[in-house]
Amino acid sequence: MHAAINALHKEQAEDRSSGKPTPTFEFIEINCLRISSPSEAYTVLWRGLSGEYIGPQIAYARLKAYFEDLATRSIAPSCAKKSESVTKPTNYVVCLLDELDYLVTRNESIVYNFFDWPQQDNSGLVVVGIANTLDLPDRLNKRSLSRLGGKQLLRIAFAAYTHDQINNILADRLQHLEGVFDSKSLQLTAVRICV
C-alpha cells in the first residue's frame, strides 16, 4: 500500500510539473491495533482531515456532518442543465485501515460508517481495509457487508512471509544499527518467526 501511495505521489508531481491538471489526495493511515478503542479511529480520521484533535464522539459527529455536507453540495437541482450536474471532487482522501479486524464491534457501526462515507456523493474518500483474517467479511452482518461491496467484494490473499523475506526485512530495518546484530542472529530470528 505504501508503495502504491508513493507511486501516486510521484505521478502527481510529474503531472503538476508538466502542467497537467490532476486531482490531489491526502493519505491517512489508521493502524487499528495502535488505537486505544475502535471509536478512536474517528479521532484519527478527523485529525487527518482537519488537523484538530478531539474525542471520538465529537469526531464522529463532525465526520458525519462533513460527509453529509459534501453529499448535499453535490446534489444538482432537477431543473439544472447537464453542465451544472454533480462535479467530481478535486481533493481526495485515501484512508488505510490496517488491522481492520480490531474495528469490529458488536453492532459493527464503525466498520459500517467507514465504508459508508465513501459511497456518499462527492465525498472523495477512498477506504482500503487490511485484515489479518480472510473470513472477516463472512463474520460481518449484512448491513456492514453491503458497504464493503457485498458479493462484489474483492479479497486479495497475501501469502505469509518466508524466513528469507523476514531476514531481508530485519536486515533492512536494522541496517542503521550496524554491528549490533550479527547475520546468524537475524537468520535464527527469521526462522523462529516462520515456525
Side-chain angles (χ1 to χ4, degrees), residues 4-26:
I5 291 296
N6 289 338
L8 285 171
H9 279 301
K10 183 179 177 185
E11 183 179 319
Q12 191 176 47
E14 289 169 358
D15 286 349
R16 281 195 186 138
S17 66
S18 68
K20 187 176 175 182
T22 181
T24 60
F25 75 94
E26 294 178 52

Side-chain angles (χ1 to χ4, degrees), residues 135-161:
D135 70 336
L136 177 65
D138 302 326
R139 293 185 288 139
L140 296 175
N141 64 38
K142 289 180 182 178
R143 180 176 178 259
S144 297
L145 191 58
S146 72
R147 293 301 170 243
L148 283 148
K151 293 181 181 180
Q152 291 81 31
L153 176 68
L154 175 63
R155 292 187 215 196
I156 302 172
F158 293 95
Y161 289 122

Side-chain angles (χ1 to χ4, degrees), residues 1 26 28 92-96 114-115 118 123-128:
M1 186 65 194
E26 294 178 52
I28 300 171
Y92 289 88
V93 174
V94 177
C95 179
L96 171 63
F114 266 87
F115 287 95
S123 77
L125 179 65
V126 177
V127 176
V128 177

Side-chain angles (χ1 to χ4, degrees), residues 153-178:
L153 176 68
L154 175 63
R155 292 187 215 196
I156 302 172
F158 293 95
Y161 289 122
T162 65
H163 72 280
D164 287 334
Q165 290 170 322
I166 291 175
N167 188 42
N168 290 338
I169 291 168
L170 289 172
D172 182 62
R173 299 268 172 99
L174 299 173
Q175 68 183 352
H176 66 283
L177 298 175
E178 193 174 320

